[in-house]
Amino acid sequence: MFLLEMAEYSSLNSLSFPMRAIYKTLPEYKVCILGNSHVGKSMMLRCLHGGGRSVTDENLSSTIGMDLLKHEVRGSSYHMQLQIWDTGGHERFRAITGNYLRNSHVVLLVYDITDMKSYESIPVWLELAQANVCGETLFMLVGNKLDLFEERVVGQFNANAFAMEHKMEYFECSASKGMNVLFLFNQIA
């Protein structure tokens, strides 16, 4: 054990001071985003990458397989790196999605509040995640497209009850308008 610590220390010493500080102080957490196609998973990442500003979906196509975004989160008492995996929502990608769930710290189950089918698929995504995660994993239910509130078909009460039944946190956001997206990812930290 001592030799491993010394080897790790010596490789850190070859880095410049700021790089050593970042290497030592930024824990990394794996976050997987699951849900049907077109619920706004990729849009959430685009919004997060843009600092929480509203974004448009022009030139945004369906995710094929997986996408990855690394995002730093800072607070008064923490500073961490989130490794966020955006999964393809089409059924043909579910087989490979299970592999990416391993060692996840957080799983976001996303549905579209204007699409009942996307909400009804959440138990399937939850089952897939629970079968593939290892150890302690935080699950969060996320209703997206809050900007389309007038077209809502999934009631907030029902979604919140489902989340409570499965011991999950529940959030609603609008990735296209930038509502609550930064708040959601700060809650993960």
Side-chain angles (χ1 to χ4, degrees), residues 14 68 74 88-89 92-93 97 116 126 128 142 146 176 186:
S14 66
L68 171 66
R74 292 177 190 252
R92 67 181 181 257
F93 299 125
T97 298
M116 184 59 80
L126 178 60
L128 175 70
V142 180
L146 190 56
S176 66
N186 284 331

Side-chain angles (χ1 to χ4, degrees), residues 30-45:
K30 184 176 180 181
V31 179
C32 283
I33 306 177
L34 303 177
N36 284 4
S37 185
H38 303 295
V39 297
K41 301 179 304 291
S42 297
M43 192 70 99
M44 288 173 66
L45 287 188

Side-chain angles (χ1 to χ4, degrees), residues 71-75 78 82 181-189:
H71 179 73
E72 273 187 48
V73 180
R74 292 177 190 252
Y78 58 86
L82 298 179
V181 175
L182 286 177
F183 178 74
L184 168 65
F185 284 95
N186 284 331
Q187 291 303 302
I188 291 171

Side-chain angles (χ1 to χ4, degrees), residues 62-125:
S62 292
T63 303
I64 297 176
M66 297 295 229
D67 279 338
L68 171 66
L69 172 74
K70 290 193 175 193
H71 179 73
E72 273 187 48
V73 180
R74 292 177 190 252
S76 59
S77 61
Y78 58 86
H79 183 197
M80 64 183 61
Q81 181 97 10
L82 298 179
Q83 186 185 85
I84 307 167
W85 292 87
D86 173 21
T87 63
H90 293 285
E91 194 167 331
R92 67 181 181 257
F93 299 125
R94 288 189 187 168
I96 63 167
T97 298
N99 294 328
Y100 289 96
L101 286 162
R102 289 186 195 6
N103 301 318
S104 291
H105 297 95
V106 180
V107 174
L108 302 181
L109 301 166
V110 181
Y111 70 94
D112 174 351
I113 68 167
T114 69
D115 179 6
M116 184 59 80
K117 186 176 179 185
S118 71
Y119 175 72
E120 290 170 345
S121 296
I122 290 296
V124 175
W125 290 109

Side-chain angles (χ1 to χ4, degrees), residues 39 111-120 143-159 170 172:
V39 297
Y111 70 94
D112 174 351
I113 68 167
T114 69
D115 179 6
M116 184 59 80
K117 186 176 179 185
S118 71
Y119 175 72
E120 290 170 345
N144 193 22
K145 302 189 182 181
L146 190 56
D147 57 304
L148 302 176
F149 185 80
E150 302 81 29
E151 300 171 38
R152 177 191 285 269
V153 295
V154 180
Q156 192 174 15
F157 179 81
N158 291 342
Y170 176 63
E172 289 189 342

